[in-house]
Amino acid sequence: MVALPGVDPSWSTYLDVPSTSGADRPGTTHRWHYLDNGADLAGGTIRGTLLCVHGNPTWSYLWRTYLAAGRAAGWHVIAVDQLEMGYSERTGVFRRLDDRITDLEDFVSAVGLTGPVVTVGHDWGGVVSLGYADRNREDLAAAILTNTAIHQDPDRPIPAPLRLALAPGVHGLGTRTTSAFLDVTLALARPALAPDVRRAFRDPYRTAADRQGITHFVSDIPADPSHPSYAALTRTAEGIRSLGVPVLMMWGPHDPIFSDPYLEDLARRLPHADVHRFERASHLVQEDADTASTAMQWLAGRSVGHPAADSGVPTRDDVPAPDRAPHVPLGRRLTELAAGPDAARTAVAEMKPSGPARTLSWQELADDVAAVAAGLTALGYGPGSRVSLLVPPGVDLTVLIYACLRIGAVIVVADAGLGARGLSRAVKGSAPDVVIGIERALVAARAFGWPGRRISAAPLPPAMRRALRVEASLNDLRAAPPGPAPETPDADADAAILFTSGSTGPAKGVVYTHRQLSAMRDAVAATLGLGEGASLVAGFAPFALLGPALGATSVTPAMDVTAPRTLTAQALADAADAIDATVVFASPAALRNVLATADALTDEGRTALGRISLLLSAGAPIPVPLLEAVQDLVPSAALHTPYGMTESLLVADIDLAGIRAAAAAAEDGLDGAGGGVCVGLPVHGARVAVSPLDGNGSATGEATTAPGRTGEILVDAPHVKDRYFRLWKTQQESTRTAPWHRTGDVGHFDAAGRLWVEGRLGHIITAASGVLTPVALEQSLETIDGVRLAALVGVGPAGTQAVVAVIEADAAGRRPALADAPLADAARAAARSHGVDLAAVIAVPALPVDIRHNAKIDRTRIAEWCARFLSGARAGSL
């Protein structure tokens, strides 16, 4: 065998294995090739053996990173070449699935493996390894799967690439006569394989005779129940339902073959499995992502092996559960108000661009929730069903949310603010059982092939209904016969998957249980004094969910909530006037447009805004001048700027008076005051700390609240998320200092215990002069005349990064350019006051911000663009 990149030559091993397969004559022996990292591991004790099985058309080389990582972690790793594949013998016999499972059993027996054994499989190797695991449970310790399938739904065609490979006239030519099937598979890697790695994958398959196994594997795909291997596949698919060992599934969602529906099928058969989707990976997930170290981390975290592996990092399971207050379901207050003297009082209202508002009383809301819940139940949905809600905030969304919670269904909320691609990724990744949406969302569902059945929010014409595969409308749900009242969902069952804004990478699904959603309600009520009798304008989508839970009347203004800049002053005033609102929730971008359109306010509108006693704005930092201008518009209101995130809606809170006090403390030199955005004190029930940064900008320090120590912000509260959906590795990282949730934000405390936010962990600059966080200097840059927005980024290698200011300025031209002398001089002077020397100042017409908030700056994208721009390469636009 030729030398292979990433493979120790000593790993390559051959063994003659007696065959018991029915495909062979009795007494037949076959020569197997396999890679073996050795049983004499450093440190002595071996935790167990990873038995790695490749698919088609790869070979044991696919697992080279597992052999290296396993050796370092104390695992014996054996990666086989299945017969007819890699450097194993070409037997000349067509080997079907059942034969291959028997072949693997023969190999394990010949090698003399004993437990604990962890099976690891990919593609066809996933099926073979699971077949082995199902039939050999005595020594089985765990199973690891990557992009594979265990069941083919007879009503669903096999993936198009495999249909093509099976087509007469293509099958033999594409899989054996030529290397097309192999080449296409290798081309799926993201990014492209290095030439030497690609060559290594191709080496065992140079001739048509070498590729006969590839042809046979494709032929053995059980496309329907008539196929000879369908029975063996079905036996394994059903058998693994009782597999009680830990299971890890690592997936590349861009796989055109084993896409998310196959992952969903496996997850339903193995509901206890841990899942991590590497969002940018494809079919060859081992080549696209670091699955090997993830597997080692998982084995340690799940204490798989002998002796028990220990990650050295505590998890939430190691931390005693806190004393819990009795759980009060989220919809309890709605039910109580519907049955009480306030039953006829308005509960929810929805403003229209023209015409009267749509309203429901507490009684009408409760009745509508019960009717829709009965309709969903009649269609077969209930506890654990995932329901993707693609309906704008308003009456219908409120009804759907509480109907789903009532029957124990899990609401999936990913808004259009993610953009078409981000929204599609979120919906597909959440694998909903049903999508309930407006027509535009259902068109997208049809176009992008989103999973799940379809229900329309509004009635559709018959032709459109058929075209979009819609089986019912929201009105149809309401018309279903009433059924028995559903049982109250378990407090610790999943209740919601809420997607992040996607401003720092692909949007993540954040899972909340019913208990955690109720704790979120309680934190809002206790921190902000909201409850029964309050009336609020929900101009910020997350708070549209909480009104009925708080017992507060809520109204959605006439705006596109996925584009906060569409909220006008008059629309806000009209919404406030409709319910005599005393509270307003609105994002900073929405407030900017409210101020920009304030001249158009009517006298009645100004009067309505004058009744506001509390205004909250969240989602991004808010400059004091903006708050002061808002105060003029709502003179009687206390202005609060709570700090939080999708993973914990409330972390800290501060009002305008508190912000002014913090600024004064900074001017007076109070220890820790200044250097960021002050977000105040932790909210009711929350603990907050920071993990100090080391010299490399990593958050490695012990949790502390000492003033002036910059680090990653940590939070622990009853209303913090349960986990990330199918992002096991991300979840482990976020809780590696349990019970804290690591927010990814960076900040510090001052001597008064106030929290100051300095930016994101991923946006830290590591210059030669030291570690630099961006927000404080950006704030200074934004005080320069003519500067609307500023971003501070690092360009170059970590540890020696050049500090660059990118400024959205009134005087910027249509194309990015180095700032003119006055602007550059002002920016450099501001930077020197922070002890920073700027390498460059670039003026741009607009900085990229997230869609949902219209405020979060994409510093990672800006830094990459700056590197191209400053090098003289074609940079394009931001």
Side-chain angles (χ1 to χ4, degrees):
M1 191 172 71
V2 297
L4 300 168
V7 174
D8 185 324
S10 68
W11 294 347
S12 181
T13 309
Y14 287 89
L15 181 69
D16 291 328
V17 177
S19 173
T20 64
S21 169
D24 294 315
R25 295 177 179 177
T28 299
T29 296
H30 295 303
R31 191 164 182 77
W32 285 66
H33 174 260
Y34 61 102
L35 299 179
D36 186 338
N37 70 352
D40 56 337
L41 300 179
T45 304
I46 298 173
R47 298 193 183 281
T49 300
L50 267 62
L51 178 63
C52 302
V53 189
H54 67 84
N56 184 35
T58 56
W59 57 287
S60 58
Y61 183 67
L62 181 73
W63 305 109
R64 64 194 180 282
T65 55
Y66 285 67
L67 284 101
R71 189 171 182 84
W75 282 92
H76 181 202
V77 182
I78 290 179
V80 300
D81 285 359
Q82 297 195 62
L83 293 176
E84 320 298 328
M85 304 294 287
Y87 289 100
S88 283
E89 182 180 330
R90 273 44 175 178
T91 70
V93 176
F94 193 122
R95 315 191 80 79
R96 297 207 176 271
L97 173 59
D98 197 55
D99 300 318
R100 293 195 174 278
I101 296 171
T102 302
D103 289 341
L104 188 59
E105 290 175 319
D106 291 341
F107 173 83
V108 169
S109 176
V111 172
L113 281 187
T114 57
V117 172
V118 177
T119 58
V120 187
H122 174 255
D123 189 272
W124 263 106
V127 183
V128 174
S129 67
L130 281 177
Y132 173 88
D134 182 43
R135 284 160 42 171
N136 298 271
R137 302 191 182 201
E138 183 177 347
D139 292 331
L140 186 69
I144 297 174
L145 299 170
T146 63
N147 288 64
T148 186
I150 197 65
H151 172 70
Q152 179 60 47
D153 185 345
D155 296 329
R156 182 187 181 94
I158 63 173
L162 297 183
R163 292 201 303 274
L164 177 63
L166 283 167
V170 175
H171 177 50
L173 179 65
T175 61
R176 185 176 185 275
T177 306
T178 72
S179 61
F181 188 83
L182 173 63
D183 294 337
V184 169
T185 302
L186 297 180
L188 295 175
R190 300 162 61 104
L193 297 174
D196 58 343
V197 171
R198 183 182 178 85
R199 188 163 48 249
F201 273 114
R202 290 175 52 88
D203 273 341
Y205 303 115
R206 295 181 179 181
T207 69
D210 292 336
R211 295 189 289 268
Q212 185 65 61
I214 296 176
T215 302
H216 288 173
F217 255 127
V218 173
S219 297
D220 201 37
I221 295 172
D224 58 61
S226 66
H227 192 279
S229 286
Y230 190 85
L233 183 67
T234 301
R235 270 196 309 274
T236 300
E238 294 306 309
I240 64 170
R241 292 184 187 276
S242 61
L243 208 61
V245 298
V247 177
L248 172 65
M249 302 179 197
M250 295 181 285
W251 220 260
H254 291 278
D255 189 344
I257 303 165
F258 298 122
S259 50
D260 280 334
Y262 293 103
L263 170 61
E264 179 63 17
D265 174 73
L266 278 163
R268 292 187 184 278
R269 295 171 188 275
L270 297 164
H272 64 289
D274 296 307
V275 180
H276 187 87
R277 297 170 79 254
F278 290 92
E279 291 293 342
R280 294 184 171 89
S282 184
H283 178 66
L284 296 176
V285 62
Q286 294 87 344
E287 302 298 321
D288 298 348
D290 187 4
T291 61
S293 68
T294 303
M296 299 305 143
Q297 180 188 4
W298 178 80
L299 291 166
R302 290 297 181 204
S303 298
V304 176
H306 181 76
D310 181 9
S311 66
V313 177
T315 67
R316 278 193 176 271
D317 295 336
D318 302 319
V319 180
D323 293 333
R324 289 172 169 171
H327 172 244
V328 179
L330 201 68
R332 174 75 59 81
R333 199 71 196 105
L334 186 163
T335 303
E336 292 172 346
L337 286 167
D342 290 323
R345 183 164 57 85
T346 297
V348 292
E350 177 184 341
M351 304 302 294
K352 303 291 186 182
S354 60
R358 180 185 175 192
T359 64
L360 291 181
S361 69
W362 288 105
Q363 180 64 65
E364 290 167 334
L365 177 59
D367 290 345
D368 205 15
V369 166
V372 171
L376 288 168
T377 301
L379 287 178
Y381 304 112
S385 299
R386 290 191 290 274
V387 183
S388 180
L389 299 177
L390 299 174
V391 180
V395 171
D396 285 341
L397 180 60
T398 301
V399 169
L400 283 164
I401 285 172
Y402 285 89
C404 289
L405 296 176
R406 179 183 173 93
I407 65 173
V410 182
I411 61 172
V412 180
V413 180
D415 64 57
L418 296 175
R421 184 175 298 176
L423 178 61
S424 187
R425 182 190 297 117
V427 175
K428 284 186 174 181
S430 64
D433 296 290
V434 60
V435 173
I436 305 179
I438 58 176
E439 182 178 330
R440 183 173 59 183
L442 296 175
V443 169
R446 185 76 171 87
F448 292 112
W450 294 345
R453 295 154 71 184
R454 309 280 192 266
I455 295 175
S456 61
L460 297 175
M464 179 65 73
R465 187 164 167 158
R466 287 192 298 272
L468 298 180
R469 298 178 181 173
V470 170
E471 63 180 281
S473 70
L474 186 52
N475 283 348
D476 294 331
L477 299 183
R478 291 178 170 121
E487 293 184 9
T488 301
D490 184 274
D492 296 311
D494 291 352
I497 303 173
L498 311 178
F499 276 85
T500 61
S501 67
S503 59
T504 55
K508 298 182 287 291
V510 178
V511 180
Y512 280 93
T513 64
H514 289 269
R515 188 188 303 278
Q516 290 158 344
L517 283 184
S518 297
M520 184 190 301
R521 170 203 60 202
D522 297 341
V524 170
T527 301
L528 304 172
L530 292 177
E532 186 177 344
S535 50
L536 60 94
V537 180
F540 185 48
F543 288 97
L545 170 127
L546 290 175
L550 292 163
T553 299
S554 58
V555 60
T556 305
M559 65 176 294
D560 180 355
V561 294
T562 65
R565 289 173 177 163
T566 61
L567 180 62
T568 66
Q570 190 60 49
L572 178 63
D574 289 343
D577 191 47
I579 61 168
D580 293 330
T582 56
V583 182
V584 167
F585 293 90
S587 72
L591 291 179
R592 284 190 174 91
N593 198 54
V594 165
L595 290 173
T597 57
D599 290 345
L601 271 173
T602 63
D603 291 342
E604 293 82 0
R606 291 188 181 278
T607 300
L609 294 180
R611 290 194 295 266
I612 302 300
S613 59
L614 175 64
L615 184 144
L616 303 106
S617 190
I622 310 174
V624 171
L626 174 61
L627 282 175
E628 290 174 337
V630 170
Q631 185 75 85
D632 292 339
L633 201 60
V634 286
S636 301
L639 305 186
H640 284 248
T641 60
Y643 160 69
M645 57 217 62
T646 309
E647 295 87 343
S648 179
L649 193 59
L650 286 179
V651 173
D653 180 52
I654 193 170
D655 60 12
L656 179 55
I659 292 172
R660 288 170 172 155
E667 291 180 2
D668 293 340
L670 179 71
D671 190 10
V677 175
C678 185
V679 296
L681 300 172
V683 300
H684 175 80
R687 294 191 304 140
V688 182
V690 300
S691 172
L693 304 179
D694 60 22
N696 298 316
S698 299
T700 56
E702 294 291 326
T704 181
T705 58
R709 300 288 304 278
T710 293
E712 183 178 6
I713 298 171
L714 314 176
V715 59
D716 178 37
H719 57 275
V720 171
K721 62 141 171 69
D722 185 72
R723 66 191 185 281
Y724 290 111
F725 184 71
R726 294 185 177 171
L727 291 171
W728 180 87
K729 185 174 185 177
T730 306
Q731 172 63 15
Q732 296 306 113
E733 174 59 26
S734 77
T735 56
R736 62 184 170 87
T737 46
W740 300 106
H741 164 67
R742 305 183 74 96
T743 66
D745 286 341
V746 176
H748 67 272
F749 291 93
D750 65 22
R754 291 172 295 221
L755 179 65
W756 296 71
V757 177
E758 302 177 52
R760 292 284 297 172
L761 191 63
H763 299 159
I764 287 173
I765 299 166
T766 54
S769 57
V771 174
L772 175 65
T773 56
V775 168
L777 180 47
E778 287 173 348
Q779 288 180 309
S780 294
L781 294 172
E782 287 168 3
T783 64
I784 299 172
D785 287 343
V787 173
R788 298 189 297 269
L789 205 58
L792 200 70
V793 298
V795 176
T800 59
Q801 287 185 318
V803 185
V804 179
V806 184
I807 293 173
E808 181 181 312
D810 294 337
R814 296 177 59 187
R815 297 177 180 231
L818 293 175
D820 59 26
L823 178 56
D825 290 344
R828 294 182 191 282
R832 283 193 294 271
S833 70
H834 290 262
V836 176
D837 290 322
L838 294 177
V841 181
I842 304 172
V844 298
L847 285 170
V849 295
D850 69 298
I851 300 172
R852 178 183 292 178
H853 301 290
N854 300 159
K856 294 184 178 180
I857 301 171
D858 190 345
R859 297 186 185 92
T860 301
R861 174 178 164 188
I862 293 170
E864 293 170 351
W865 176 87
C866 281
R868 297 193 300 272
F869 178 85
L870 294 173
S871 70
R874 187 181 182 90
S877 62
L878 269 173

